[in-house]
Amino acid sequence: MTDPSPSPSRPSLADQWTDRDAAVVWHGFTQMAAYADNAPIVVDRAEGRELIDADGRRYFDAISSLWVTTLGHRVPELDAAVIDQLGKVAHTTLLGNGNRAAVEFAEALAAVVPVDDPHVLFASDGAVAVEQALKVAFQYWVNAGDPGRTRFLSLGGAYHGDTVGALSLGDGGFGTDLFDPLRFPVLRTPGYADAGWAVLAIEAIDRHAGELAAVVIEPLVQGASGMLVADPDDLARLGDACRAHGVLLICDEVATGFGRTGRLFASEWAGPTFRPDLLCLGKGITGGYLPLSATVASARVFSAFDGPDLGERTFYHGHSYGGNALACAVALRHLQLIAEWGVIGHVGRVAAHLESALADRVAGLAGVGEVRQRGLMVGIDLAPPVDGSRWGRRVCAKSVARGVLVRPLGDVVVLMPPLTTTSDEIDRVIDAVARSIVEVTDEDDVSDPAQPVSGATR
Ligand SMILES: *Cc1c(COP(=O)(O)O)cnc(C)c1O
């Protein structure tokens, strides 16, 4: 049984798990020498949108388990989909053969993606969906008899995953600059932090069209660079420029897909004529249940790979677990539930509530620079008086102590609550984060009189 009041001499069950964890698990993006000191939570189980540790402490999952959870944890319908598929088969290969679960999910996905006459190439991680898109785009031009189109244009602040190809498209940061010698060169124009980003990207497309295989963007929101946001009209203009020059458009919706921004796909905000040639999906694709990703190709791209059996036009690439049947079964049920439950409409309403809560309680705080939001993706830019004061870390640690799990990107506090989050839960998250920002600001005595402190401060 859980001991509710562990004595100081005996570590709590949660602390014991942290010790066992640190002894054998190597956590990504984490300095392991400091891991245990940064108050990690080791999850024992979950209920709805709350995570529960071994001591029974509850944390609201305000980052959707790193942006993957959509409808919540232990959703009975999704649990049932996995169990039902387990009664058939867990996994069979998609290399040269098929699986009913993968076919059914691909059919359902094909009906809703903003891609013309699509085919779905499955994998298991978002980075691999991007990696596949790069290789498909590259071979597309070889197959099309125009092998001079070998370069990619990507944006400042871009993040597309951690494999070497995806890393090459990305703009570095997060301590990944040491891998620069491994990166292949790309054409890079400024990202969404620059209001003129679209004009500059379009100029580069005009100038370099003859050598460009594809333009790669995160439509609407550059997530990992701190939730930088784009104007949908600028996306539409970029799409037009790609089409005018025949350059492929790759949209990485690993983070923005499946309702996150208030549409099923963020590309939809740019209007009905914005049609990516390749669409990368991951994260929320299974509602956060199982690893699955997909590279969705338009008919234009797919048909260029038609050719004789064993011939050189074939796409020689594939992953062992791509299109895993359990993952596809839960992904199909998830897509159905998004429609059955009216999840997109709910996201619009709760995002509006979140927007006003942020305006009332967070935006005016002395420690806050800027608040950016699209749907249920939020970046709160903290403005520490001096570099190295680790405000992002400290604010998040205090929020976790208040029972709200958040994780910073540098000094940006990211909020990515599950899509089914209620207004009351939004208030709980905002209350914890606002109080934590005030506490950290007070600790560092930010009483700069030039900074107006709004009434939202308490
Ligand atoms: C998270 C992310 C990826 C990488 O996905 P993984 O599943 O972590 O490999 C790629 N692109 C974007 C935009 C992401 O947010």
Side-chain angles (χ1 to χ4, degrees):
M1 288 301 291
T2 308
D3 178 359
S5 54
S7 69
S9 57
R10 213 177 114 241
S12 73
L13 282 174
D15 289 344
Q16 292 174 33
W17 278 106
T18 300
D19 290 345
R20 287 173 64 176
D21 178 350
V24 287
V25 181
W26 189 346
H27 293 265
F29 281 105
T30 303
Q31 172 47 254
M32 291 308 297
Y35 172 68
D37 296 333
N38 278 323
I41 69 168
V42 180
V43 175
D44 180 61
R45 59 196 188 280
E47 255 175 47
R49 290 167 289 278
E50 282 187 329
L51 307 173
I52 307 170
D53 72 12
D55 291 327
R57 273 192 298 258
R58 288 169 173 267
Y59 302 87
F60 186 81
D61 189 357
I63 50 170
S64 296
S65 289
L66 235 299
W67 316 358
V68 302
T69 307
T70 57
L71 308 181
H73 299 279
R74 290 175 60 205
V75 176
E77 291 86 343
L78 297 181
D79 292 0
V82 178
I83 292 164
D84 185 48
Q85 183 62 39
L86 271 173
K88 297 173 183 163
V89 62
H91 177 72
T92 66
T93 184
L94 291 200
L95 306 187
N97 297 281
N99 184 292
R100 274 182 63 167
V103 174
E104 285 179 346
F105 176 52
E107 285 173 350
L109 191 60
V112 295
V113 284
V115 177
D116 297 324
D117 196 6
H119 277 80
V120 183
L121 180 62
F122 286 112
S124 306
D125 288 285
V128 176
V130 172
E131 208 75 36
Q132 292 184 153
L134 288 179
K135 290 177 69 180
V136 166
F138 184 91
Q139 188 174 343
Y140 168 83
W141 290 108
V142 174
N143 288 3
D146 192 352
R149 298 235 203 183
T150 57
R151 297 184 73 190
F152 293 88
L153 185 151
S154 67
L155 301 183
Y159 176 78
H160 297 285
D162 296 328
T163 55
V164 173
L167 204 61
S168 302
L169 294 175
D171 195 17
F174 304 112
T176 65
D177 291 348
L178 86 154
F179 296 117
D180 283 354
L182 295 182
R183 292 184 150 104
F184 61 74
V186 300
L187 194 62
R188 195 177 304 283
T189 56
Y192 301 163
D194 186 326
W197 73 270
V199 172
L200 295 168
I202 291 165
E203 277 173 16
I205 294 167
D206 289 343
R207 242 188 344 265
H208 296 279
E211 48 177 324
L212 276 180
V215 171
V216 189
I217 61 164
E218 295 158 79
L220 203 68
V221 185
Q222 291 187 306
S225 61
M227 305 298 153
L228 303 175
V229 295
D231 179 344
D233 292 341
D234 281 340
L235 296 177
R237 275 190 275 278
L238 181 81
D240 290 345
C242 287
R243 192 164 344 105
H245 289 288
V247 175
L248 298 179
L249 175 62
I250 301 176
C251 283
D252 176 355
E253 292 225 29
V254 171
T256 53
F258 300 96
R260 227 344 112 192
T261 67
R263 299 275 173 95
L264 191 55
F265 298 102
S267 296
E268 295 170 23
W269 290 102
T273 59
F274 185 82
R275 309 290 285 178
D277 300 286
L278 289 155
L279 179 69
C280 304
L281 302 173
K283 289 199 168 107
I285 191 170
T286 62
Y289 265 59
L290 285 161
L292 183 72
S293 67
T295 310
V296 184
S298 67
R300 170 191 171 192
V301 170
F302 178 76
S303 61
F305 288 73
D306 265 0
D309 191 21
L310 303 177
E312 60 194 21
R313 296 172 80 91
T314 311
F315 187 52
Y316 289 109
H317 178 116
H319 293 275
S320 308
Y321 278 100
N324 174 265
L326 293 175
C328 285
V330 74
L332 173 63
R333 192 69 191 105
H334 173 243
L335 203 51
Q336 293 166 344
L337 289 178
I338 287 178
E340 286 170 23
W341 291 0
V343 169
I344 305 298
H346 176 81
V347 169
R349 288 187 295 276
V350 84
H353 180 80
L354 176 57
E355 188 178 348
S356 59
L358 284 163
D360 290 348
R361 302 263 337 250
V362 174
L365 296 177
V368 172
E370 189 183 44
V371 177
R372 295 177 293 270
Q373 179 189 5
R374 287 285 184 275
L376 289 178
M377 301 177 87
V378 173
I380 302 169
D381 233 336
L382 300 176
V386 286
D387 279 352
S389 28
R390 299 168 78 243
W391 273 20
R393 252 264 203 292
R394 287 162 59 197
V395 166
C396 289
K398 287 179 188 296
S399 301
V400 173
R402 291 186 156 90
V404 171
L405 180 65
V406 278
R407 193 181 144 80
L409 287 162
D411 279 327
V412 179
V413 175
V414 171
L415 303 181
M416 277 263 207
L419 307 186
T420 49
T421 299
T422 65
S423 293
D424 285 350
E425 289 167 336
I426 292 290
D427 293 343
R428 174 179 165 194
V429 170
I430 293 298
D431 187 67
V433 170
R435 285 172 191 273
S436 301
I437 294 172
V438 171
E439 249 176 56
V440 169
T441 313
D442 287 350
E443 281 169 12
D444 287 10
D445 193 21
V446 185
S447 46
D448 179 6
Q451 282 259 30
V453 178
S454 101
T457 313
R458 33 183 96 138

